[in-house]
Amino acid sequence: SMMQYAKEVYVDSANQVFTGLPTESAPVKRLDPVLTEDHKLKLMAVPDTFDELKKSFTIDEMKFDGFGRNYIDGLKLSSDSICQLAFQITYWRMARQFVGTYESGSTAFFKYGRTETIRSCTLETAKCSRSFDLDDLAGEDEMLALVRACSEKHRLLSREAAAGQGFDRHLLALWDLNQRQEGKPLPVFTDPNFARLNHFILSTSGLHPAIDKFISLGGFGPVVRDGLGITYRACDTFIIAQASSYQGGADGAGFMEELGKVLDHLKIVLSGGSFKAPRSV
């Protein structure tokens, strides 16, 4: 949404150059905010808090030239699903676990629509990620079929999110209403699994092709201290990605390095080959 907004500002400023206020414009009224002592104390603490966060914040990038959106589209697969699958395989290889994954999905179809969560970590991506282990018995045909199953599942989740059929924003609304009511919170919101459900280790956002001409890549920060913020873009002939992280948390540099290897292996599988060593009979 922010990238789309930046594009619209760029286009508008290029087409409508500001030359000053018209002589008969509406009067401009100065707004002076009323700040309490508590507000002032909190504002004074912001620079120090920001500096501390900035010191521990790192950004790592990678560019993969093996294939891009054109190649994936030619295989009748979703380029976004391939990127998301690559993130899942990468994290599986590094941490040997599957974690909560957030992908921002637009609900701009609705008048006041903003976003809905696409949960890109699925049973399909977990099964496919395991098949990419070097010692897994899955062959090239089975692996390619698993990749296609991941793409179909991701398409379904994306369509559901765009149609307002996700569940995260509904839960958020219920949680907010419950917070405003007196009494004990509903059991669902104190359940440890609810906290785990919303602890997004991988927080991701892809740039839409429509803004390719205006923004090469954007930043997307981690939403938890032990997580990664991943921005990515599938261009016509290459893929670029960026991982942000906090020191002492997730390994952003290692993730970007391993992601490149995973994309290499995905290219081999998509072309009908295998990157695994032949097994002796």
Side-chain angles (χ1 to χ4, degrees):
S1 298
M2 289 300 297
M3 298 297 102
Q4 182 67 27
Y5 174 69
K7 172 202 168 181
E8 292 172 357
V9 170
Y10 175 86
V11 172
D12 186 68
S13 62
N15 295 334
Q16 302 185 47
V17 180
F18 179 75
T19 57
L21 292 173
T23 55
E24 297 182 358
S25 63
V28 178
K29 183 179 179 181
R30 179 186 175 96
L31 296 178
D32 294 310
V34 178
L35 301 177
T36 65
E37 289 303 315
D38 183 55
H39 289 151
K40 294 177 182 178
L41 288 173
K42 289 179 178 178
L43 286 172
M44 289 175 62
V46 167
D48 291 336
T49 304
F50 175 77
D51 288 340
E52 286 301 314
L53 285 173
K54 186 173 65 173
K55 290 176 184 176
S56 66
F57 190 75
T58 59
I59 297 177
D60 298 279
E61 301 176 353
M62 64 83 65
K63 179 184 178 185
F64 177 74
D65 293 307
F67 62 82
R69 186 172 60 240
N70 290 346
Y71 177 74
I72 301 172
D73 289 349
L75 297 173
K76 301 188 183 304
L77 294 170
S78 159
S79 57
D80 189 57
S81 74
I82 294 300
C83 290
Q84 288 290 333
L85 174 59
F87 302 152
Q88 294 300 317
I89 298 172
T90 300
Y91 198 84
W92 166 250
R93 286 184 173 181
M94 294 182 67
R96 308 309 291 177
Q97 62 176 320
F98 301 107
V99 294
T101 305
Y102 170 92
E103 178 186 359
S104 57
S106 173
T107 53
F109 175 79
F110 298 96
K111 184 176 181 179
Y112 297 110
R114 294 189 63 191
T115 63
E116 175 57 280
T117 302
I118 302 173
R119 289 185 174 264
S120 303
C121 182
T122 64
L123 293 174
E124 287 79 6
T125 60
K127 186 175 182 179
C128 188
S129 296
R130 292 189 179 97
S131 77
F132 271 67
D133 287 347
L134 293 175
D135 59 353
D136 191 88
L137 297 178
E140 50 262 43
D141 291 340
E142 181 181 354
M143 294 175 70
L144 182 56
L146 290 172
V147 171
R148 290 192 174 278
C150 290
S151 185
E152 287 304 313
K153 181 66 174 183
H154 191 268
R155 278 179 171 144
L156 174 62
L157 293 176
S158 300
R159 287 197 298 267
E160 289 178 344
Q165 297 302 309
F167 63 84
D168 281 274
R169 298 300 181 258
H170 296 286
L171 282 176
L172 176 62
L174 289 172
W175 175 86
D176 184 64
L177 287 172
N178 188 232
Q179 289 291 108
R180 301 182 190 187
Q181 295 176 344
E182 296 182 1
K184 294 182 179 180
L186 293 174
V188 64
F189 299 127
T190 58
D191 191 300
N193 288 309
F194 182 75
R196 184 181 180 189
L197 185 72
N198 291 284
H199 190 83
F200 291 109
I201 298 293
L202 299 180
S203 188
T204 72
S205 182
L207 293 186
H208 194 276
I211 61 175
D212 284 0
K213 298 178 182 179
F214 306 95
I215 301 172
S216 59
L217 195 61
F220 200 65
V223 295
V224 291
R225 296 292 298 193
D226 56 342
L228 290 167
I230 302 172
T231 310
Y232 60 98
R233 184 159 71 101
C235 303
D236 289 345
T237 58
F238 60 90
I239 293 173
I240 52 177
Q242 184 182 82
S244 59
S245 59
Y246 292 109
Q247 293 177 7
D251 181 7
F255 189 91
M256 288 289 97
E257 181 179 357
E258 187 63 34
L259 178 61
K261 298 175 184 177
V262 168
L263 288 169
D264 273 328
H265 288 168
L266 268 169
K267 181 181 180 181
I268 295 172
V269 171
L270 291 173
S271 63
S274 176
F275 58 85
K276 301 175 182 178
R279 293 185 175 275
S280 57
V281 180

